[in-house]
């Protein structure tokens, strides 16, 4: 029997699949169900310091080979962590708490709170492409990210991951974050995109721009994971368009330790984690590997 267990900065996962942030909103019961259904870890929706209603509908549109969303980081505010985390926790499945903000002191306040309520990993959403002064707007600035990570690793013991998106300078951002003690990298968030209704002659989403997810971004994510692993070899949660075990194996070979799944959950349901981990297991058996850890970054050895 091959071994599917992996570790993210000392946090043990029974298999490499991770529920990506935002897909099930902030619903504790759904996070719990995801953990029970077979995900190796689950990620919360990004919390912000104040509750956010998000944008007016339409906030989601189906496009070729993916999904376009501009939810606007709708969430009940970080204080809900204290209600959601204990309810979501089941079978010791690690919970990754995602945080979004504009200022360092906001992140510090939320990260301490998340740690107090048992977050296993704190993930900084530095890459949401559709909310101004948050996400990508701050995450593309290496100096800001370095300061932020430095502050957080000074005040919490919980491993801090930064979630990056597609920017020209992601290697510099990653390098500065790792220098300041980031425990790992989550890559990638959705990619800023747009769809236009040709009859209404307006953008489809109320916010005009949205984030593209799903199969369309899978090769982009593979490239980003490959680059980061080749240069730094940190623990990586690879995310982007995984909807079958083959996609997950591709990320593992590129250097991901764990595999985030988002859009495919809305398409195929929570059992996707089991389909993907079963597929990885069969692949490892057929290819003669004893552990999933043996193929992490394998492509770099060739
Ligand atoms: C509806 C929706 C909401 C999302 N909300 C968040 C969020 O709150 N925080 C975050 O870091 N990423 C969020 N994401 C991005 C996903 O976590 C993931 O990085 C992205 O969708 C790419 O993975 P996928 O192709 O498997 O969906 C969201 C994605 C979708 C589709």
């Amino acid at each position: 029997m091959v071994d599917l267990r992996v570790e993210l900065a000392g946090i043990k996962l029974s298999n490499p699949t991770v529920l990506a942030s935002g897909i099930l909103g902030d619903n504790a019961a759904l996070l719990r169900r995801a953990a029970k259904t077979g995900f190796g870890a689950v990620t919360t929706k990004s919390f912000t310091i104040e509750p956010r209603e998000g944008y007016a509908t339409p906030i989601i549109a189906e496009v070729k080979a993916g999904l376009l969303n501009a939810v606007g980081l709708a969430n009940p505010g970080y204080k809900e962590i204290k209600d959601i985390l204990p309810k979501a926790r089941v079978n010791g499945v690690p919970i990754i708490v995602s945080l979004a903000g504009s200022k360092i002191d906001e992140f510090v306040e939320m990260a301490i709170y998340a740690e107090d309520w048992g977050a296993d990993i704190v993930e900084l959403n530095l890459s949401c492409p559709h909310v101004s002064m948050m996400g990508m707007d701050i995450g593309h600035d290496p100096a800001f990210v370095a300061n932020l990570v430095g502050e957080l690793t000074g005040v919490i013991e919980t491993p801090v991951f930064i979630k990056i998106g597609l920017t020209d300078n992601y290697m510099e951002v990653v390098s500065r974050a790792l220098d300041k003690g980031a425990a790992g990298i989550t890559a990638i968030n959705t990619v800023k995109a747009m769809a236009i209704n040709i009859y209404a002659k307006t953008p489809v989403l109320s916010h005009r721009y949205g984030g593209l997810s799903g199969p369309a971004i899978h090769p982009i994510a593979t490239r980003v994971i490959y680059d980061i692993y080749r240069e730094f070899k940190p623990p990586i949660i690879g995310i982007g368009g995984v909807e079958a075990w083959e996609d997950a194996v591709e990320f593992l070979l590129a250097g991901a330790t764990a595999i985030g799944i988002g859009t495919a959950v809305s398409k195929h349901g929570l059992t996707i984690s089991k389909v993907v981990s079963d597929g990885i297991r069969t692949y490892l058996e057929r290819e003669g590997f004893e552990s999933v850890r043996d193929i992490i970054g394998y492509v770099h050895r060739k």
Side-chain angles (χ1 to χ4, degrees):
M1 191 65 162
V2 296
D3 186 358
L4 285 186
R5 291 172 301 169
V6 292
E7 270 191 33
L8 285 172
I11 304 302
K12 295 180 169 49
L13 277 61
S14 61
N15 73 75
T17 63
V18 175
L19 176 73
S21 177
I23 303 308
L24 300 180
D26 48 50
N27 186 316
L30 284 177
L31 287 174
R32 186 182 174 85
R33 202 180 318 153
K36 270 188 157 172
T37 317
F39 277 99
V42 296
T43 314
T44 69
K45 173 84 191 157
S46 297
F47 290 103
T48 50
I49 203 98
E50 299 293 340
R52 289 176 59 92
E53 287 204 350
Y55 300 132
T57 54
I59 53 172
I60 292 196
E62 266 199 48
V63 293
K64 276 183 206 159
L67 210 62
L68 197 58
N69 94 82
V71 172
L73 290 179
N75 78 94
Y78 80 105
K79 291 262 158 94
E80 290 294 311
I81 289 174
K82 90 170 185 309
D83 289 326
I84 293 170
L85 250 58
K87 286 186 199 146
R89 192 171 289 286
V90 62
N91 301 340
V93 174
I95 302 179
I96 302 169
V97 173
S98 171
L99 304 176
S102 320
K103 301 194 189 94
I104 290 180
D105 55 357
E106 290 176 5
F107 278 101
V108 167
E109 188 174 331
M110 294 190 288
I112 292 173
Y113 196 78
E115 176 167 272
D116 286 347
W117 285 100
D120 294 285
I121 290 173
V122 167
E123 182 177 275
L124 310 179
N125 176 353
L126 302 178
S127 43
C128 176
H130 52 73
V131 175
S132 70
M133 305 307 290
M134 287 191 189
M136 191 71 97
D137 273 7
I138 55 168
H140 77 274
D141 178 351
F144 177 86
V145 174
N147 283 340
L148 173 61
V149 173
E151 286 286 331
L152 290 181
T153 51
V155 292
I156 61 169
E157 313 235 306
T158 310
V160 173
F161 275 52
I162 63 160
K163 182 166 179 181
I164 62 158
L166 188 63
T167 57
D168 288 338
N169 65 348
Y170 63 81
M171 291 297 273
E172 190 186 348
V173 168
V174 166
S175 167
R176 300 282 296 271
L178 292 172
D179 280 350
K180 291 288 185 177
I185 308 296
T186 303
I188 59 173
N189 210 316
T190 55
V191 175
K192 190 169 182 176
M194 183 187 268
I196 289 173
N197 180 321
I198 60 167
Y199 298 106
K201 302 171 191 72
T202 57
V204 172
L205 299 179
S206 72
H207 186 66
R208 294 182 291 160
Y209 302 104
L212 180 63
S213 61
I217 67 168
H218 183 73
I220 301 174
T222 305
R223 185 259 289 193
V224 173
I225 295 162
Y226 179 93
D227 282 353
I228 294 171
Y229 188 87
R230 188 184 51 190
E231 196 67 25
F232 309 110
K233 300 194 174 37
I236 301 171
I237 304 175
I239 313 187
V242 172
E243 48 176 22
W245 65 265
E246 291 92 334
D247 306 324
V249 168
E250 209 179 344
F251 276 0
L252 290 162
L253 294 171
T257 297
I259 308 298
I261 308 178
T263 302
V265 170
S266 46
K267 218 159 130 190
H268 304 292
L270 288 170
T271 48
I272 183 80
S273 66
K274 182 124 185 17
V275 173
V276 169
S277 48
D278 284 350
I280 297 172
R281 181 183 294 112
T282 310
Y283 170 84
L284 293 171
E285 278 164 3
R286 272 202 223 122
E287 296 287 321
F289 293 101
E290 285 174 8
S291 162
V292 66
R293 299 185 295 281
D294 296 340
I295 65 164
I296 295 170
Y298 195 91
V299 83
H300 299 272
R301 292 182 227 160
K302 289 260 173 184

